[in-house]
């Protein structure tokens, strides 16, 4: 009986020496491509044969063609339960291959390089590796496809028992096909020019399994987008303290962090159930926190805080006596961190400093070179039986070209407040209305089925603070007189920002003119469902 044959040709050499030594102890004959053969011979002294010995054909085209040969793929794909297959490879002098250990060229790492060129990217697209992996995974009842060094020990254990369970073989095949699919997805994403192609695959990597999903009877997990250059988010945060993140922790923290990123000055955002209950900008994060909390002193209990600057001792002083589930920031003063870590139930997350958008050119909609020459960052939302895909809403208040609709134009101070309120309202669940004053929200109406209720809720929450404040609405007001616009004017707002485009825009303008309120149109909507 001939020795079983293993082909070892992984790019990632982690754990390969011990794996090869153990395979030889188990009686395997090992064949490798030139680079891996040289590595193993130098490191272990094992009798590793070249793939060229197996194929009878030298590597050609600078190594582009090494394993694409019937001696390799015939040996991998031959079904051991079909005598005609075994007779055929025997007549051709082809030996059956029992194990294929391959992982692929570093395409992701290559396109992450700042100096990457298309030529370099193309040279790092693996052809022979995926072909061998797919072939071995297709024939998994007889051939072991090994793509992950983490599986080496379990594979060896089963081989020592001289029986590899079929279910385990199937699991390796599934992992292999998924690995190749993710690799091809990365390449397609780099090369494609069409933002919404006819077929779209998404390659994700699991970050963690959550204790449960949105509710305890549901299961959940969180995955990250492995593409280099994509925007950094909560999946990239380092947990410094606290329990593991739950499904809703990720969801809510994402809402808070996205909002905090949309502001340049020191900003604090407090979120509850994925909806902001307080947003404020100030000269310090301590003052920003106090004003964000003052926006709504009921909802923040058990909520999420996102800060776009380092958390200071003074901010933790202001937080005394108030319970939160998560705080996320790009950094923490050591004294502040030590203090926060005394809170047993608080999860403390630190975002990479590069995640904070401090440059206008680093807009959330675009990634770096690794996303490809024409690729944009896309957002995905599941619906029953499918997925909705869109580009992000990356327009902030200062990006909006406003059109003054009323006789009175807003003052420069009012216009600054309107732009702040517009940036806030795009993070509020639709129908959304925000009342803002002195770069802080003082009333938020969120998730209402009609704009009147959203406006009324925002006005009610603002109370007396609405006097001299401004209002932002994420869509046009369908009615004005004896409705939302007039309610806002009567309450004491001085300026309103809204998309415009409604059939009763003229009526809204008339009402504002009657009360001396300035109104501007953005020409764009800011729904967030």
């Amino acid at each position: 009986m001939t020795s079983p044959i293993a082909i070892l040709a992984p790019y990632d050499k982690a754990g390969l020496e011990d794996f090869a030594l153990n395979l030889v102890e188990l009686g395997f004959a090992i064949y490798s491509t030139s680079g891996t053969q040289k590595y193993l011979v130098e490191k272990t002294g094992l009798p590793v044969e070249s793939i060229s010995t197996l194929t009878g054909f030298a590597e050609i085209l600078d190594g582009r063609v090494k394993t694409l040969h019937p001696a390799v793929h015939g040996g991998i794909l031959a079904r051991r339960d079909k005598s005609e297959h075994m007779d055929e490879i025997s007549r051709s002098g082809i030996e059956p291959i029992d194990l294929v250990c391959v992982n692929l060229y570093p395409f992701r790492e290559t396109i992450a390089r700042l100096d990457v060129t298309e030529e370099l990217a193309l040279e790092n697209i693996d052809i022979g590796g995926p072909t061998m992996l797919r072939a071995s995974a297709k024939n998994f009842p007889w051939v072991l496809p090994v793509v992950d060094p983490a599986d080496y020990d379990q594979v060896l254990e089963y081989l020592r028992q001289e029986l590899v369970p079929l279910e385990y073989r199937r699991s390796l095949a599934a992992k292999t096909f998924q690995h190749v699919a993710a690799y091809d997805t990365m390449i397609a994403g780099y090369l494609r020019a069409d933002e919404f192609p006819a077929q779209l695959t998404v390659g994700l990597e699991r970050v963690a399994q959550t204790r449960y999903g949105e509710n305890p009877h549901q299961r959940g997990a969180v995955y990250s987008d492995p593409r280099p250059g994509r925007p950094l988010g909560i999946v990239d945060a380092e947990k410094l303290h606290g329990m593991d993140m739950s499904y809703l922790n990720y969801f809510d923290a994402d809402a808070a962090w996205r909002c905090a990123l949309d502001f340049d000055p020191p900003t604090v955002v407090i979120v509850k159930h994925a909806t902001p209950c307080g947003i404020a900008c100030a000269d310090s994060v301590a003052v920003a926190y106090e004003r964000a909390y003052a926006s709504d002193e009921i909802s923040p209990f058990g909520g999420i805080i996102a800060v776009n600057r380092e958390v200071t001792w003074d901010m933790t002083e202001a937080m005394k006596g108030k319970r939160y589930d998560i705080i996320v920031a790009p950094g923490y003063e050591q004294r502040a961190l030590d203090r926060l870590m005394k809170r047993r139930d608080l999860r403390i997350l630190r975002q990479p400093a590069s995640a904070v958008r401090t440059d206008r050119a680093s807009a959330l909609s675009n990634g770096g070179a690794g996303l490809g020459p024409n690729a944009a960052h896309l957002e995905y939302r599941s619906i029953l039986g499918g997925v909705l895909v869109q580009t992000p809403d990356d327009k902030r208040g200062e990006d909006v070209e406003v059109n003054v609709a009323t006789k009175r134009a807003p003052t420069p101070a009012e216009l600054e407040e309107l732009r702040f309120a517009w940036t806030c309202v795009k993070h509020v669940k639709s129908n959304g209305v925000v009342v803002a004053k002195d770069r802080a929200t003082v009333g938020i109406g969120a998730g209402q089925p009609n704009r009147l209720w959203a406006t009324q809720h925002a006005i009610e929450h603002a109370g007396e603070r609405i006097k001299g404040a401004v209002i932002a609405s994420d869509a046009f007001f369908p009615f004005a007189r004896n409705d939302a616009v007039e309610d806002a004017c009567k309450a004491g707002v001085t300026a309103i920002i809204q998309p415009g485009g409604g059939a009763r825009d003229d009526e809204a303008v008339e009402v504002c003119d009657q009360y001396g309120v300035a109104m501007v149109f953005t020409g764009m909507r800011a729904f967030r469902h």
Side-chain angles (χ1 to χ4, degrees), residues 427-508:
H427 293 278
V428 173
K429 299 296 183 184
S430 297
N431 287 313
V433 171
V434 164
V435 180
K437 191 174 188 178
D438 298 328
R439 293 193 302 169
T441 58
V442 294
I444 298 175
Q448 298 302 313
N450 65 72
R451 199 152 300 279
L452 175 60
W453 289 356
T455 305
Q456 289 173 339
H457 286 183
I459 292 172
E460 179 184 353
H461 292 163
E464 286 302 310
R465 295 176 296 180
I466 200 166
K467 305 294 184 184
V470 305
I471 271 191
S473 173
D474 63 2
F476 66 79
F477 291 97
F479 304 100
R481 197 167 296 283
N482 298 317
D483 207 273
V485 175
E486 189 159 19
D487 282 357
C489 292
K490 286 179 176 179
V493 301
T494 64
I496 298 173
I497 186 169
Q498 60 137 316
R504 290 182 169 84
D505 279 353
D506 290 345
E507 184 179 300

Side-chain angles (χ1 to χ4, degrees), residues 54-332:
L54 193 64
T55 63
F57 203 93
E59 297 181 8
I60 62 172
L61 304 180
D62 298 322
R64 279 191 166 198
V65 179
K66 299 186 283 282
T67 60
L68 301 172
H69 193 278
V72 173
H73 291 282
I76 295 173
L77 287 166
R79 287 182 55 168
R80 307 325 193 240
D81 63 341
K82 283 198 170 187
S83 58
E84 57 268 36
H85 278 201
M86 302 309 291
D87 290 343
E88 188 171 358
I89 65 170
S90 179
R91 288 194 300 271
S92 300
I94 296 173
E95 294 287 340
I97 294 167
D98 303 278
L99 185 149
V100 173
C101 174
V102 173
N103 49 59
L104 308 176
Y105 290 174
F107 184 80
R108 182 203 308 183
E109 292 77 6
T110 299
I111 62 175
R113 291 171 47 176
L114 294 177
D115 63 344
V116 66
T117 62
E118 185 169 275
E119 180 182 1
L120 180 61
L122 293 177
E123 285 304 313
N124 279 274
I125 296 176
D126 205 326
I127 301 299
T131 306
M132 284 195 294
L133 285 174
R134 286 174 58 82
S136 57
K138 173 186 173 77
N139 211 25
F140 73 83
W142 299 278
V143 183
L144 282 169
V146 184
V147 71
D148 186 353
D151 293 322
Y152 289 169
D153 289 344
Q154 185 62 72
V155 167
L156 291 169
E157 183 61 30
Y158 280 131
L159 288 173
R160 291 188 188 101
Q161 297 172 16
E162 298 185 358
L163 179 63
V164 183
L166 186 62
E167 284 306 309
Y168 183 68
R169 289 176 173 272
R170 181 178 284 108
S171 71
L172 291 180
K175 177 183 280 193
T176 297
F177 279 118
Q178 186 62 69
H179 179 77
V180 174
Y183 189 79
D184 287 342
T185 294
M186 182 81 66
I187 296 168
Y190 176 78
L191 293 175
R192 71 169 172 254
D194 188 351
E195 194 170 49
F196 300 108
Q199 291 183 313
L200 179 64
T201 55
V202 181
L204 303 175
E205 295 182 353
R206 192 177 70 199
V207 173
Q209 287 182 285
T210 58
R211 296 194 305 279
Y212 49 80
E214 198 163 4
N215 297 291
H217 63 277
Q218 296 170 267
R219 295 183 299 278
V222 60
Y223 288 77
S224 70
D225 180 349
R227 294 178 302 164
R230 53 87 172 155
L232 298 176
I234 290 298
V235 294
D236 305 292
E238 176 188 6
K239 182 166 68 69
L240 303 179
H241 174 74
M243 298 179 291
D244 289 341
M245 296 276 284
S246 71
Y247 179 97
L248 287 177
N249 286 155
Y250 280 106
F251 195 80
D252 292 342
D254 175 70
W257 181 246
R258 279 173 177 248
C259 187
L261 280 182
D262 247 351
F263 296 91
D264 290 329
T267 302
V268 172
V269 178
I270 306 175
V271 160
K272 190 71 176 291
H273 294 294
T275 298
C277 52
I279 305 168
C281 301
D283 293 334
S284 73
V285 293
V287 174
Y289 167 77
E290 289 173 341
R291 296 174 65 202
Y293 181 81
S295 173
D296 177 351
E297 297 186 354
I298 297 175
S299 302
F301 179 83
I304 316 300
I305 299 177
V307 191
N308 67 354
R309 294 291 196 281
E310 182 179 69
V311 172
T312 63
W313 172 263
D314 288 343
M315 179 175 165
T316 62
E317 274 283 290
M319 292 170 58
K320 282 195 304 186
K322 302 176 180 68
R323 184 188 181 282
Y324 296 98
D325 280 359
I326 299 170
I327 183 169
V328 52
Y332 299 83

Side-chain angles (χ1 to χ4, degrees), residues 44-63:
T44 67
L46 292 173
V48 179
E49 295 288 341
S50 169
I51 283 286
S52 296
T53 304
L54 193 64
T55 63
F57 203 93
E59 297 181 8
I60 62 172
L61 304 180
D62 298 322

